[in-house]
Amino acid sequence: MKLQRKNRLRALSLGAVAVSGALALTACGSNDNGSSSGSSSNPSTSANAGSIKCDNAKGQLLADGSSAQKNAIDAWVKNFSQACGVQINYKGSGSGAGVTAFTQGQVAFAGSDSALKPEEVTASKKVCSGGQGIDLPMVGGAIAIGYNVPGVDNLVLDAPTLAKIFDSKITNWNDAAIKKLNPTAKLPNLKIQAFHRSDESGTTDNLTKYLIATTPDNWKYSGGKAWQAKGGQSAPQSAGVAQQVKQTSGAIGYFELSYVSDGIKAASIDTGASKPVAPSTASATADIAAAQVVGTGKDLSLKLDYKTKAEGAYPISLVTYEIACDKGNKADTLPATKAFLRYVASEDGQKVLSTINYAPIPDEIIAKVRTTIEGLS
């Protein structure tokens, strides 16, 4: 008994050393004050551990970025960590924060709903020795226009009306423009409470790209990750905006479809097709399927068609990229980074997405992603 107890204590001590060593493997200067990904209450996200190739993955990875993909990352990390024993801490602080952390060498990879800008690629070369940051599309999804209006279960909006709401030009739910789109709805005499992101966000970037492309006369801002319109209220990250919409009567906001829950309904968009299109995995996939690869070299950034009028295609969609170095990844984090990205791009990894209201990346594009991941060095 004494020998067994002594061996057990020795094993616990070695485990503590291993955890300490894993922390040393993360990028220099990083300070993880965020929550750790790796849990999901959805049993349908479970994966067969035997299908995940761990290779030499070990230690801990720090990552940050898009909060729109946070629910997908949580599901992936749960499966991967169970199979490989690697801890992955993904903060989900927003696309802007993720790209900054990546270009400063604080994380092994980042998530962003917008592709790297030229100046960000240049900055990445300082941390990617002999290489640069590249965009790998991994997660597709609809940006839901979530609302909380008592008595209104089916709301239709179009681009001009949406632009005027978020630009504080339409301020009440029984406005004539909203009535015209919803002739049978009982729209209340209730003030609109419009919520936008307070942090730099690729979700904001994609929403404003949609408004710029479809109704430039009503949205005269240049766009980007930072919110530019005046008025309205703000909250951090997709979860923060969703929470505000849920608890505020008369509220409207935007966030990835997976954040739509009890107390929040999602508007359908009148695109000019035969009938308005609701956000869903299928309608986002229909839009993303028409995306074109516009990146050069190993970069696989995409161009979406925000002006689509295709039947059943939801126009306010986004693609979240995992951003990694094509060359010059840190030797101690490269095996785990490649193994994790390999899993999320795999058939099993992509299957997880549709179970939690995300859209898998089209086959032709994800095949290129898989090839690119194998070449990371």
Side-chain angles (χ1 to χ4, degrees):
M1 291 296 292
K2 290 183 177 180
L3 180 60
Q4 289 179 344
R5 186 176 181 183
K6 182 177 181 181
N7 288 338
R8 183 173 178 270
L9 290 173
R10 182 174 182 271
L12 289 173
S13 176
L14 288 174
V17 172
V19 170
S20 177
L23 292 173
L25 292 177
T26 56
C28 296
S30 60
N31 180 18
D32 182 18
N33 295 316
S35 60
S36 171
S37 293
S39 62
S40 175
S41 59
N42 190 337
S44 64
T45 62
S46 297
N48 179 359
S51 68
I52 298 176
K53 297 180 180 179
C54 302
D55 290 341
N56 296 314
K58 60 183 179 179
Q60 181 193 57
L61 292 180
L62 293 185
D64 197 3
S66 165
S67 63
Q69 72 165 0
K70 182 67 164 58
N71 293 334
I73 289 286
D74 284 351
W76 281 331
V77 167
K78 177 183 178 182
N79 295 337
F80 184 77
S81 295
Q82 286 177 346
C84 302
V86 176
Q87 182 182 3
I88 300 177
N89 293 321
Y90 183 85
K91 288 185 179 181
S93 302
S95 296
V99 171
T100 297
F102 179 76
T103 57
Q104 292 180 351
Q106 297 176 356
V107 294
F109 69 91
S112 176
D113 307 322
S114 298
L116 291 170
K117 296 178 180 178
E119 60 270 25
E120 293 168 339
V121 173
T122 298
S124 74
K125 293 179 180 180
K126 297 178 181 178
V127 296
C128 301
S129 179
Q132 65 179 51
I134 56 172
D135 301 288
L136 301 172
M138 290 289 196
V139 185
I143 300 175
I145 305 301
Y147 67 95
N148 177 1
V149 183
V152 180
D153 294 329
N154 298 291
L155 180 70
V156 175
L157 297 171
D158 60 10
T161 306
L162 193 60
K164 291 174 184 177
I165 288 173
F166 280 113
D167 199 23
S168 302
K169 301 292 176 58
I170 292 178
T171 58
N172 204 287
W173 280 109
N174 63 357
D175 186 274
I178 303 177
K179 283 184 176 180
K180 185 177 180 180
L181 291 166
N182 301 273
T184 63
K186 295 181 179 180
L187 296 165
N189 181 14
L190 179 66
K191 182 180 178 181
I192 295 174
Q193 306 281 353
F195 286 89
H196 58 265
R197 290 281 290 272
S198 60
D199 53 323
E200 289 197 356
S201 161
T203 310
T204 294
D205 191 18
N206 282 274
L207 173 66
T208 54
K209 282 178 179 176
Y210 163 74
L211 296 175
I212 291 168
T214 54
T215 185
D217 291 343
N218 294 299
W219 195 260
K220 298 183 180 297
Y221 303 97
S222 61
K225 294 177 183 176
W227 186 257
Q228 296 173 324
K230 306 301 181 184
Q233 303 174 65
S234 65
Q237 304 167 20
S238 293
V241 175
Q243 181 61 33
Q244 291 299 320
V245 171
K246 184 175 183 177
Q247 66 187 22
T248 307
S249 180
I252 187 171
Y254 58 93
F255 30 78
E256 211 283 326
L257 182 60
S258 68
Y259 288 92
V260 174
S261 60
D262 292 341
I264 303 175
K265 293 181 171 62
S268 296
I269 302 298
D270 184 347
T271 64
S274 63
K275 60 181 181 180
V277 184
S280 69
T281 297
S283 62
T285 299
D287 182 47
I288 296 169
Q292 296 179 329
V293 176
V294 293
T296 58
K298 294 182 179 180
D299 186 88
L300 297 173
S301 56
L302 304 176
K303 181 179 180 180
L304 299 175
D305 183 8
Y306 298 103
K307 299 172 72 173
T308 182
K309 295 182 180 180
E311 298 295 330
Y314 185 75
I316 320 176
S317 298
L318 59 77
V319 169
T320 291
Y321 304 94
E322 308 312 331
I323 296 171
C325 297
D326 59 352
K327 298 178 181 178
N329 288 277
K330 292 180 173 61
D332 46 13
T333 58
L334 177 60
T337 299
K338 285 184 70 171
F340 180 68
L341 295 181
R342 181 187 295 121
Y343 162 59
V344 302
S346 72
E347 184 176 349
D348 285 344
Q350 289 292 298
K351 281 181 179 178
V352 168
L353 295 176
S354 58
T355 69
I356 47 176
N357 287 325
Y358 289 96
I361 300 299
D363 290 343
E364 182 179 348
I365 297 173
I366 202 67
K368 295 178 181 178
V369 173
R370 292 167 186 158
T371 299
T372 302
I373 290 170
E374 294 308 318
L376 298 181
S377 62

